[in-house]
Amino acid sequence: MADKKQHNKKFNRNNNQDEDYNPKFRKIKKKVCPLCADKNLELDYKNAEQIKRYISERGKILPRRAIGTCAKHQRVVTNAVKRARHIAIVPYSQD
């Protein structure tokens, strides 16, 4: 019995921390989809300023984890960026 306690102490070194604490994996606050949060916000491919928020400085479409959009709205963002590129509102790439 005493042997088990010593064994647990050896591997559980964060005695003063919460049980869920793990230094390798921080709890990251979940991002809220900006298009879901504001119901009145409609993504328009003709609005270059609005589209530029969803592309990197190199011209690539940012991933969901960077923007914080849900899967449904990420598809909308992708289509809007591609349409804006096609009619030359947003460049395909930056040099």
Side-chain angles (χ1 to χ4, degrees), residues 3-50:
D3 193 30
K4 270 190 176 179
K5 286 183 181 178
Q6 286 179 345
H7 179 73
N8 286 342
K9 278 187 178 180
K10 188 185 277 186
F11 291 104
N12 190 10
R13 295 192 178 159
N14 57 348
N15 293 335
N16 59 351
Q17 300 289 333
D18 294 333
E19 290 181 20
D20 296 334
Y21 175 76
N22 190 343
K24 289 184 181 178
F25 302 103
R26 293 184 302 142
K27 288 186 179 178
I28 299 172
K29 186 177 178 183
K30 188 174 180 184
K31 294 182 180 180
V32 179
C33 177
L35 298 170
C36 287
D38 187 11
K39 299 290 183 185
N40 297 330
L41 180 66
E42 188 112 1
L43 192 63
D44 186 21
Y45 69 93
K46 293 175 266 182
N47 189 348
E49 293 302 317
Q50 193 177 26

Side-chain angles (χ1 to χ4, degrees), residues 55-62 85 91-95:
I55 60 173
S56 68
E57 61 271 353
R58 305 281 291 174
K60 294 182 175 183
I61 301 171
L62 291 172
R85 284 176 178 166
Y92 278 94
S93 64
Q94 301 285 333
D95 291 335

